[in-house]
Amino acid sequence: MIKGLAITTVWVLDQDRAKEFYTQKLGLEVRTDMTMGDGGMRWLTVGAPDQPDVELTLMVPGPPAMDPESAEMMKKLVAKGALGAGVLATDDIHGDYKRLKDRGVEFLQEPQERPYGTEALFRDDSGNWFSFTQRREGGLDFEKEWS
Amino acid sequence: MRQLRLAKDLMDRDWADPALDLEAVADRAGYSRYHFLRAFKEAYGETPRQYLTHRRIERAEDLLRTADLSVTEICHLVGFSSVGTFSARFKARTGLTPSEYRAKHVGRGAALIPGCYAMLWAGGFRRSEQSNSGEAG
């Protein structure tokens, strides 16, 4: 029986900078930051204080998971802004939008009303885009235009 | 690359602004104009101007399909200042004039695609020539 999502990967260009961004700017907490073995892979995960059972692992593309050529392609995709990394939930989209913006987070779209809630879009410092959404109570609004 | 991305995001955000000046975009990206054009095209497959036109035309397609507005209104809404230029660019990209396009698609609403995907992917990156019906804005 699958119990849910525990960890998912966000590909970043630099773990130190990503750690700072995800904690200082987004307000997530560091769950684990350790290096496996001598000179091995750095396992860095962050999560939302209100959601202790879900983590993002912030990984730099490269060995052992990826050959150099793939890693290079992945870094390029991240940097050019092609990849979305997920939807982050909030219960105060307008307040959080202002707070994050004031901390220098790059927003692609200010909060807008959608059938599924109120949604803004931002990028992390590597180039991954996130939807930042306050879900609509009661589910989808089928009366609302999608554009 | 980050600077190029910022420049592209600026166009994605402010595509409707007729005053959006590509010189300023290049400046902001910290490139000389010539080098910016080349670097942008290498990353995104189109020059900045082509990219911006592309975004505007796609948005116009949405409006023609779904909005009760005149061609002239839509032309200005998506950031073109001249209807002649708009129609020519529109036809170059879709093969139809705005009016023909509207007649062909009349009564068909936008497909249900979340705004984030539509905004980012309705022309965010170059694709093979394919139908754009099925994308909201």
Side-chain angles (χ1 to χ4, degrees):
Chain A
M1 172 63 83
I2 294 175
K3 295 295 186 190
L5 180 70
I7 302 178
T8 185
T9 300
V10 179
W11 297 105
V12 299
L13 302 180
D14 179 290
Q15 284 177 306
D16 287 327
R17 286 210 312 269
K19 182 178 178 178
E20 187 181 342
F21 179 89
Y22 280 81
T23 55
Q24 304 300 310
K25 287 199 165 44
L26 300 190
L28 302 185
E29 60 190 12
V30 174
R31 298 279 172 73
T32 317
D33 186 359
M34 59 177 284
T35 300
M36 299 175 177
D38 205 18
M41 187 177 81
R42 180 176 174 192
W43 180 251
L44 169 65
T45 69
V46 294
D50 286 344
Q51 195 180 39
D53 54 348
V54 178
E55 303 176 10
L56 301 175
T57 173
L58 306 176
M59 265 191 204
V60 179
M66 238 184 247
D67 61 274
E69 192 190 356
S70 301
E72 203 47 47
M73 288 161 100
M74 183 59 101
K75 285 179 184 169
K76 194 169 176 182
L77 284 173
V78 170
K80 75 188 265 193
L83 299 182
V87 181
L88 294 172
T90 168
D91 58 0
D92 178 17
I93 181 72
H94 294 289
D96 280 341
Y97 167 73
K98 186 170 183 332
R99 277 184 286 276
L100 267 53
K101 202 170 163 62
D102 288 347
R103 291 178 201 150
V105 175
E106 277 172 48
F107 274 86
L108 299 172
Q109 179 196 292
E110 58 197 19
Q112 292 190 354
E113 295 300 319
R114 302 289 185 204
Y116 43 86
T118 309
E119 176 182 59
L121 298 167
F122 68 81
R123 288 198 194 278
D124 74 1
D125 62 321
S126 296
N128 297 294
W129 63 267
F130 282 91
S131 160
F132 190 40
T133 297
Q134 182 166 357
R135 282 196 172 164
R136 183 175 176 275
E137 287 181 21
L140 278 177
D141 178 359
F142 288 103
E143 299 302 301
K144 198 177 269 299
E145 284 289 327
W146 280 86
S147 55
Chain B
M1 184 54 101
R2 177 166 185 274
Q3 297 305 89
L4 290 176
R5 192 178 78 231
L6 288 174
K8 183 176 102 52
D9 286 347
L10 181 72
M11 289 193 274
D12 286 342
R13 238 194 330 263
D14 298 337
W15 50 265
D17 179 0
L20 184 60
D21 180 344
L22 295 178
E23 298 283 341
V25 173
D27 270 356
R28 183 171 309 195
Y31 283 84
S32 74
R33 187 164 181 274
Y34 174 73
H35 188 60
F36 173 65
L37 293 185
R38 289 194 44 161
F40 190 96
K41 183 161 184 180
E42 193 169 315
Y44 297 109
E46 295 176 299
T47 65
R49 184 167 298 282
Q50 286 168 332
Y51 178 77
L52 185 60
T53 299
H54 186 166
R55 297 308 311 255
R56 286 172 168 171
I57 295 297
E58 283 186 327
R59 186 68 188 175
E61 287 180 60
D62 279 335
L63 290 169
L64 286 164
R65 281 201 305 267
T66 60
D68 186 20
L69 296 167
S70 73
V71 170
T72 306
E73 283 171 317
I74 288 172
C75 156
H76 295 306
L77 259 183
V78 301
F80 284 92
S81 41
S82 137
V83 177
T85 305
F86 168 62
S87 296
R89 295 267 189 283
F90 191 94
K91 182 153 186 175
R93 194 164 276 282
T94 66
L96 301 167
T97 66
S99 312
E100 288 166 344
Y101 183 91
R102 166 165 271 169
K104 186 175 162 186
H105 288 279
V106 73
R108 290 186 49 194
L112 301 187
I113 289 188
C116 58
Y117 274 65
M119 196 206 90
L120 279 158
W121 289 352
F125 299 97
R126 198 172 172 201
R127 302 167 302 187
S128 58
E129 287 307 310
Q130 53 181 276
S131 147
N132 287 331
S133 63
E135 282 171 349

